[in-house]
Amino acid sequence: MRDRELGIPLSFDFIFSQDILRSCRMSTGRSFGPNSPKPFNAYQRGGAELDVESLTFKSPRRPRNSLLQKPNKMINSFVNRVQYYYKLHPFWVLFISFCCGVTILVILSLYETRLRITSNDENSEMGPEKDPFLKLNNLVMVAGHSVYTSTSCGMVDSEDSWFMESYQRHPGQAATFLAHIVEGVEAAAKDDAALLLFSGGETRKDAGPRSEAQSYWAVAESKGWFGKEEKVRWRSLTEEHARDSYENLLFSVCRFREITGSYPHNITVVSYDFKQERFASLHRSAIRFPESSFFYVGTPASSSAIETAKKGEALVRSQFEQDPYGCSGLLYRKKLRRDPFHRSIPYPNGCPEIQGLFKYCGSAPYPSILPWSS
């Protein structure tokens, strides 16, 4: 006070020391002398802290969030307990862990199946107004026999436009492929409730990754669907994974279910006339489809190939008589050769009701119930 009365300016050190004394009085609640002023809160608790050395204010340190440490502590505690019990009872710990793993896998599998079925049911409930495929209930299947390799579709009846194996190279062979396409379009045009499927996979390595089914569809497209475009084109699709005649039929039935949400009431197969017994008797019986609802449209082979074709058909038919599902022996190895690009087969994802038929392998007919079983 005396310095103030004499007009002597206070030094910074003096002012600073006075601030420190006030802070001390605030923290201790006691005065430093009889005439000391009452303590007051110069700096609020929780506010900035004064750094004496740098004469700056620093933000207070925040306590670490203990909530973030709790999960780690819980995990560590759980692991320690498991290790402890494993040392005491290793067998039971492994057994319980195995059971838990199997249970989780079963639950996930059931959930996936339920989700897939629910999705299919929702598609079925859309109604024909939103999805016109839902009103189709008959199947017309054209079995593919070759891959179209020409860059243009102007010469569809020329042998040079198709990739053919040595046993297929006969004059007039290309015309027989075209005849199958025409018969399939005609059969679908006569039935407004029919879905036309061209069936056949990428079976020829030297032909490239082009399917028989897409080849037939492209030829029909180039020919304007033989005058039936407006009536047939919108309900003409492909099945592009079949590797033999049995898969032509089975995969097309599954594809029909995938597209329409139901199974066909009637099936019409288009192929060579000398293959009728194989399709209408052996393959139809293998999937136990009603004979009264199964129809066959056969076209003749070229005159130069008929004798060879009949001999080859007799051999293949005898193989299917011994192995109706083509799942072993020569028929199985032939299917492997006809998958040069290692395509993954999506079925039976689109037809879960008959998934057992895809896994079945035996000489006797499939024993379980099928959607078309009476």
Side-chain angles (χ1 to χ4, degrees), residues 246 277-278 281-283 285-286 313-333 360-366:
Y246 173 69
E277 184 178 351
R278 191 203 304 188
S281 179
L282 297 178
H283 297 338
S285 299
E313 175 61 21
L315 176 61
V316 174
R317 191 166 57 242
S318 65
Q319 293 172 350
F320 272 110
E321 287 173 350
Q322 299 175 7
D323 183 14
Y325 300 93
C327 54
S328 63
L330 293 175
L331 293 176
Y332 179 71
R333 290 194 290 272
Y360 182 72
C361 183
S363 57
Y366 178 68

Side-chain angles (χ1 to χ4, degrees), residues 299-373:
T299 64
S302 63
S303 57
S304 59
I306 186 64
E307 294 301 325
T308 304
K310 286 183 177 180
K311 291 180 181 179
E313 175 61 21
L315 176 61
V316 174
R317 191 166 57 242
S318 65
Q319 293 172 350
F320 272 110
E321 287 173 350
Q322 299 175 7
D323 183 14
Y325 300 93
C327 54
S328 63
L330 293 175
L331 293 176
Y332 179 71
R333 290 194 290 272
K334 183 189 293 185
K335 284 196 290 189
L336 296 180
R337 290 196 302 270
R338 288 183 175 178
D339 184 23
F341 303 106
H342 307 288
R343 291 296 300 271
S344 297
I345 297 175
Y347 317 115
N349 288 340
C351 51
E353 298 86 357
I354 62 171
Q355 60 179 337
L357 191 57
F358 282 80
K359 301 176 182 178
Y360 182 72
C361 183
S363 57
Y366 178 68
S368 300
I369 298 175
L370 294 168
W372 47 83
S373 300

Side-chain angles (χ1 to χ4, degrees), residues 61-239:
R61 294 183 180 180
R62 296 182 180 179
R64 294 182 178 179
N65 191 353
S66 59
L67 294 177
L68 298 177
Q69 298 177 349
K70 288 184 178 180
N72 294 333
K73 292 182 178 180
M74 293 176 62
I75 294 174
N76 292 334
S77 176
F78 176 77
V79 172
N80 291 334
R81 285 179 179 271
V82 171
Q83 292 177 345
Y84 172 75
Y85 287 117
Y86 178 76
K87 292 179 181 179
L88 293 179
H89 308 286
F91 172 78
W92 287 110
V93 171
L94 291 176
F95 178 75
I96 293 173
S97 300
F98 175 77
C99 292
C100 292
V102 171
T103 302
I104 293 173
L105 290 176
V106 171
I107 293 174
L108 292 176
S109 177
L110 293 175
Y111 176 76
E112 181 186 6
T113 303
R114 178 62 181 172
L115 186 63
R116 184 170 59 247
I117 294 175
T118 302
S119 178
N120 291 333
D121 291 340
E122 289 176 353
N123 292 335
S124 301
E125 294 172 359
M126 288 178 61
E129 297 80 8
K130 296 183 179 179
D131 189 351
F133 290 124
L134 300 183
K135 67 181 181 181
L136 305 178
N137 50 43
N138 297 324
L139 168 63
V140 175
M141 186 273 286
V142 177
H145 294 89
S146 185
V147 176
Y148 192 79
T149 56
S150 177
T151 55
S152 65
C153 292
M155 301 287 290
V156 295
D157 56 352
S158 172
E159 277 68 37
D160 294 334
S161 299
W162 298 82
F163 180 86
M164 297 186 189
E165 299 289 355
S166 57
Y167 65 88
Q168 294 178 308
R169 294 171 186 166
H170 298 280
Q173 188 75 358
T176 64
F177 304 151
L178 184 61
H180 293 158
I181 300 171
V182 173
E183 289 293 339
V185 172
E186 292 287 346
K190 294 176 183 178
D191 184 1
D192 293 335
L195 173 69
L196 174 60
L197 285 180
F198 297 110
S199 175
E202 299 170 358
T203 57
R204 308 291 191 253
K205 182 178 181 179
D206 293 336
R210 290 180 282 192
S211 69
E212 298 171 350
Q214 277 292 339
S215 297
Y216 281 37
W217 193 97
V219 170
E221 178 79 357
S222 70
K223 293 298 182 180
W225 298 89
F226 309 98
K228 308 291 194 304
E229 180 174 357
E230 184 177 353
K231 194 173 184 180
V232 175
R233 185 181 185 276
W234 71 270
R235 49 193 176 96
S236 300
L237 302 176
T238 59
E239 185 291 302

